[in-house]
Amino acid sequence: MSNERVLRFVLGDQLSRDISSLNDARPGSDVIFMAEVMQEATSVRHHKKKIAFVFSAMRHFADALRKEGFEVDYLHLDAEGNPGDFGRALAAAVERNGPSRVVMTEPSELRVLEAAETWREELDVDLDILADTRFLASHEDFVSWATTDSGRQPKTLRMEYFYREMRRSTGYLMTDGEPEGGQWNYDSDNRKALPDSVSIPKRPEYTPDSISREVMELVANRFGDHFGDLEPFDYPVTRDDALAYLDWFSAEALPGFGDWQDAMKQGEPLLFHSHLSPLINCGLLGPRECCDRAERAYREGQAPLNAVEGFIRQIIGWREFVRGVYWMKMPDYGEANALDAMRPLPGFFWTAETSMNCLSQAISETRTNAYAHHIQRLMIIGNFCLIAGLDPRQVQEWFLIVYSDAYEWVEMPNVVGMALFADGGFVASKPYAASGAYINKMSDYCASCKFDVKQKGGEKACPFNYLYWSFLSENETTLRKNHRMGLIMGSLGKMTDERLEEVRADSQRFLGSEEMKGWDNGPPG
Ligand code: FAD
Ligand code: DLZ
Ligand code: SF4
């Protein structure tokens, strides 16, 4: 055995014991380096709860490694002489520890990967950047799928076909080479509205320990002017708590995950969703173990097939797919604006002060929890951004700031591709645009709204109603080319000029109103 000393640099979203940079780590000779740095904590003005979660999970991960016998060189944000960025912090760690080489797993975002490539040039020792094998599909796997006949369409990729390949290669919910139950996808069973009689499972809460409390104090002092509520802080931050939470979810919420996946209810931010994304994205849980646990729930009769298939599809399908798209389309993807949307983000995205109840609920829950579930993100907030023509760059920044699971590799394709159709249909086969009728069908928000969801025009009418038609009309030339929009564009074509004029006038009045005023001073606290 060589006595070389390797410095293993672990980032805040790499908190997995089985990560490639730690695979062959040896206690006693290697040293693990982790760093809290201002540059990362302020790369955007992250929600307070996200910073507290990431720092607390990092500190707990470092402690677990120490318990295993590793030497961990951990740089606290407030440590004297903290240089404030990864590059200089790493250079100082190399000088302190005198390793023969440095090893790290590739950063999940291009911004940090590019920086890492410069560290490689600048450091006095070799820096090896290893693949992130926590993802099920490598970059090469994805590109190879996307550029062969099974993936390629003229200008688009379809997640469903990628997902089927992933089912085959992982074997999840496969029996004798066939999909369990005879269908690949049970999504059509997963769009039920939620009746009042269904009771929603109560989540376990994880009381902050001394490490979390210390971090919360740090966040309150240093990032007190960032968006969002720091308290209550009840996220799991250790590996053991994350595993216990996965068990809880699989037994208690997963059974209802399918049926009510698209439902929304006032005052119920989670319903049957897992809230696992912050834990998976920072590495406390692996995507495979989440799918293994869900499949076990199905095999043992704890959860039905439509729920388990839906959950596994989100992880081995959507999550892997968006990561593939990000790396395939960067660096230009963030600038995409196929529909030329230019309107500034309204101030109510930071205050939640809007008379549109659905948006007010989704944004205030986001402010409290650093979380909103997928349908709130896509069909309330994203849908509004789409039909109101909000600037994709500003929308991306907002989504990256406000959610505790937000990292550019996953946020960007969801915002640019799925919600805003800003990539012209590379990710989504048609824009996810909807009028108030959809929101009324899937939620109880409209009952408490000042607007009337049934009215199509005038001051009392639900803004989603006229903005929807105005969006279709403004983008008519582009959207007519999309065959999945044929039916609705046909209805647009049948609208009288007079009705279209009303739609435009209502939209202009609303978009020019005080409520839609932009925020002048950047993301507020
Ligand atoms: P569940 O509904 O319980 O789903 C289970 C898991 O599947 C999630 O934990 C997540 O790991 C995965 N998943 C589900 N949908 C997606 C998806 N579309 N893309 C990637 N993974 C998915 N997800 C993020 O992790 N980070 C983001 O920054 C993010 N931004 C989004 C922005 C917009 C506009 C939209 C429409 C979606 C975004 N998503 C993002 C995807 C999705 O909304 C979240 O993953 C999900 O809401 C997380 O909550 P959950 O863990 O309760 O998910
Ligand atoms: C999200 C985040 C924050 C807020 N701060 C840090 C930090 O100080 N140190 C760190 O290693 N990671 C942090 N992270 C997670 C990183 O943003 C994430 O690891 C990289 O962006 C991946 O590209
Ligand atoms: Fe939202 Fe319109 Fe319903 Fe109000 S009426 S909650 S604005 S969909």
Side-chain angles (χ1 to χ4, degrees):
M1 199 172 190
S2 88
N3 26 352
E4 89 169 331
R5 180 167 164 83
V6 180
L7 185 84
R8 298 174 183 276
F9 184 21
V10 175
L11 299 173
D13 64 350
Q14 300 185 338
L15 310 180
S16 316
R17 185 58 189 87
D18 62 350
I19 192 141
S20 50
S21 57
L22 295 179
N23 259 346
D24 56 350
R26 296 160 312 160
S29 51
D30 294 348
V31 54
I32 295 163
F33 176 58
M34 298 174 72
E36 296 168 8
V37 290
M38 260 328 247
Q39 188 190 46
E40 201 53 30
T42 56
S43 62
V44 290
R45 291 168 64 86
H46 302 284
H47 194 299
K48 295 192 216 42
K49 204 164 274 186
K50 176 180 181 184
I51 305 178
F53 168 65
V54 172
F55 283 7
S56 179
M58 284 175 72
R59 291 182 186 193
H60 282 96
F61 186 70
D63 274 0
L65 290 169
R66 285 192 190 103
K67 283 198 186 106
E68 251 191 81
F70 282 106
E71 183 183 341
V72 182
D73 180 353
Y74 190 101
L75 182 67
H76 285 81
L77 191 85
D78 273 349
E80 212 183 305
N82 184 331
D85 64 79
F86 282 146
R88 284 184 298 163
L90 179 61
V94 167
E95 207 171 299
R96 259 195 317 276
N97 293 289
S100 46
R101 64 193 172 98
V102 177
V103 171
M104 70 185 294
T105 296
E106 62 178 329
S108 65
E109 299 172 314
L110 182 62
R111 171 181 58 85
V112 185
L113 177 64
E114 283 177 349
E117 275 154 6
T118 68
W119 311 333
R120 188 146 55 182
E121 303 299 308
E122 286 158 10
L123 286 174
D124 294 335
V125 291
D126 286 346
L127 165 62
D128 299 335
I129 302 178
L130 308 177
D132 191 342
T133 51
R134 295 172 303 172
F135 287 95
L136 285 82
S138 67
H139 299 310
E140 295 74 29
D141 290 342
F142 188 83
V143 170
S144 142
W145 170 79
T147 50
T148 56
D149 286 344
S150 53
R152 195 173 47 221
Q153 308 276 326
K155 275 200 209 135
T156 60
L157 295 180
R158 286 297 149 254
M159 195 290 291
E160 180 63 26
Y161 300 115
F162 171 74
Y163 166 60
R164 291 179 192 178
E165 290 300 315
M166 295 298 286
R167 286 275 293 279
R168 287 194 189 95
S169 66
T170 58
Y172 284 123
L173 297 178
M174 297 296 290
T175 306
D176 300 330
E178 294 300 320
E180 186 70 17
Q183 273 173 238
W184 288 105
N185 181 318
Y186 292 87
D187 214 19
S188 55
D189 296 345
N190 292 1
R191 297 182 190 134
K192 299 186 181 76
L194 186 73
D196 285 341
S197 54
V198 173
S199 61
I200 293 145
K202 177 152 171 35
R203 304 273 147 173
E205 287 163 10
Y206 297 85
T207 313
D209 63 3
S210 57
I211 294 180
S212 290
R213 284 200 306 274
E214 204 172 292
V215 161
M216 287 164 72
E217 203 181 315
L218 173 80
V219 172
N221 289 336
R222 300 291 298 272
F223 308 100
D225 59 346
H226 283 210
F227 173 78
D229 300 344
L230 184 54
E231 295 188 64
F233 183 82
D234 59 3
Y235 282 40
V237 288
T238 64
R239 168 84 178 145
D240 284 351
D241 282 351
L243 281 170
Y245 180 69
L246 173 62
D247 258 345
W248 176 88
F249 166 73
S250 306
E252 304 296 331
L254 180 60
F257 177 88
D259 284 359
W260 325 118
Q261 195 179 350
D262 286 3
M264 295 168 281
K265 188 173 164 71
Q266 180 118 0
E268 291 291 350
L270 278 153
L271 298 171
F272 295 87
H273 289 273
S274 69
H275 202 243
L276 285 170
S277 51
L279 307 181
I280 304 175
N281 293 353
C282 84
L284 280 183
L285 291 174
R288 287 182 185 84
E289 68 192 341
C290 293
C291 294
D292 291 345
R293 182 64 188 82
E295 179 161 13
R296 178 149 70 83
Y298 168 68
R299 303 274 176 212
E300 292 177 356
Q302 262 183 329
L305 183 55
N306 68 314
V308 174
E309 186 281 317
F311 177 77
I312 288 179
R313 173 157 32 87
Q314 304 313 309
I315 293 185
I316 69 168
W318 278 114
R319 186 171 187 273
E320 296 284 331
F321 181 78
V322 298
R323 189 227 186 199
V325 167
Y326 174 77
W327 285 105
M328 201 173 154
K329 299 295 265 183
M330 283 303 272
D332 301 331
Y333 201 57
E335 301 303 323
N337 191 0
L339 302 179
D340 286 328
M342 299 294 187
R343 197 173 307 285
L345 195 79
F348 71 73
F349 273 70
W350 303 112
T351 61
E353 283 167 19
T354 163
S355 38
M356 292 174 280
N357 186 43
C358 51
L359 277 161
S360 168
Q361 292 298 317
I363 294 171
S364 57
E365 287 173 6
T366 298
R367 185 175 53 197
T368 308
N369 305 318
Y371 176 85
H373 69 67
H374 186 65
I375 296 301
Q376 291 176 307
R377 295 189 206 195
L378 183 64
M379 298 310 295
I380 305 280
I381 304 172
N383 178 21
F384 182 81
C385 296
L386 172 71
I387 63 179
L390 303 191
D391 178 347
R393 290 253 29 137
Q394 292 192 26
V395 177
Q396 282 177 66
E397 189 189 21
W398 186 84
F399 272 97
L400 197 54
I401 287 174
V402 303
Y403 294 115
S404 60
D405 58 19
Y407 298 86
E408 192 181 79
W409 67 266
V410 52
E411 165 274 326
M412 187 184 282
N414 272 297
V415 172
V416 170
M418 201 186 291
L420 300 185
F421 206 70
D423 62 0
F426 191 71
V427 161
S429 55
K430 67 176 185 125
Y432 282 95
S435 68
Y438 173 86
I439 297 170
N440 193 32
K441 182 170 147 227
M442 298 312 299
S443 79
D444 59 358
Y445 294 142
C446 302
S448 322
C449 188
K450 140 181 164 180
F451 294 109
D452 182 351
V453 70
K454 300 273 192 266
Q455 285 191 36
K456 307 280 176 246
E459 301 256 345
K460 273 285 289 166
C462 166
F464 282 82
N465 289 344
Y466 44 77
L467 290 176
Y468 173 72
W469 289 106
S470 152
F471 163 77
L472 296 180
S473 156
E474 268 177 32
N475 296 291
E476 188 168 357
T477 318
T478 311
L479 299 182
R480 274 209 187 281
K481 293 181 200 140
N482 184 318
H483 71 275
R484 291 202 61 204
M485 295 296 285
L487 207 64
I488 200 72
M489 295 314 279
S491 305
L492 179 75
K494 286 186 203 132
M495 263 191 184
T496 61
D497 288 349
E498 198 186 2
R499 176 72 197 112
L500 259 183
E501 247 337 288
E502 281 167 13
V503 162
R504 286 195 191 116
D506 277 328
S507 298
Q508 273 169 19
R509 173 185 44 76
F510 179 79
L511 293 172
S513 69
E514 198 57 24
E515 181 145 16
M516 285 296 292
K517 245 186 110 209
W519 194 272
D520 296 333
N521 306 318

